[in-house]
Amino acid sequence: LRIPGVAVTAKIILEKVDLYSEPTTESIFLGGVGIGQVFDVRALNTRGDWALIDVGGGKQGWIMWQYQAYLLGPYQSLPRR
């Protein structure tokens, strides 16, 4: 059983989702996360189509979530960056 540290989590629904240093594919590619994984969400970008997630070990990265993950919780109230 996983208890998230924040009120919003992202559940990955594609086999592989790319993780970036900023909310753009032009930023540094940090790796990928896989289907079924669940992450705490810390913020959305100003348009709301990218989510900043905690990937463990104090590391964070951005995913384009709208077609790649479900956001669970009151994600509209997340800070925008």
Side-chain angles (χ1 to χ4, degrees), residues 16-32 50-53 55 60-64 68:
K16 181 178 176 257
V17 173
D18 292 338
L19 187 70
Y20 292 92
S21 62
E22 299 294 329
T24 174
T25 57
E26 312 242 333
S27 66
I28 299 169
F29 174 71
L30 300 176
W50 288 77
L52 178 63
I53 62 171
V55 292
Q60 296 183 329
W62 291 89
I63 60 168
M64 182 177 263
Q68 303 177 348

Side-chain angles (χ1 to χ4, degrees), residues 13 21 28 30 40 53 58 64-67 76 78 81:
I13 58 174
S21 62
I28 299 169
L30 300 176
D40 292 338
I53 62 171
M64 182 177 263
W65 73 270
Q66 289 184 316
Y67 302 106
Q76 299 89 344
L78 286 168
R81 294 188 185 175

Side-chain angles (χ1 to χ4, degrees), residues 11 14 31-32 59 81:
K11 182 172 183 177
L14 293 183
K59 295 182 182 180
R81 294 188 185 175

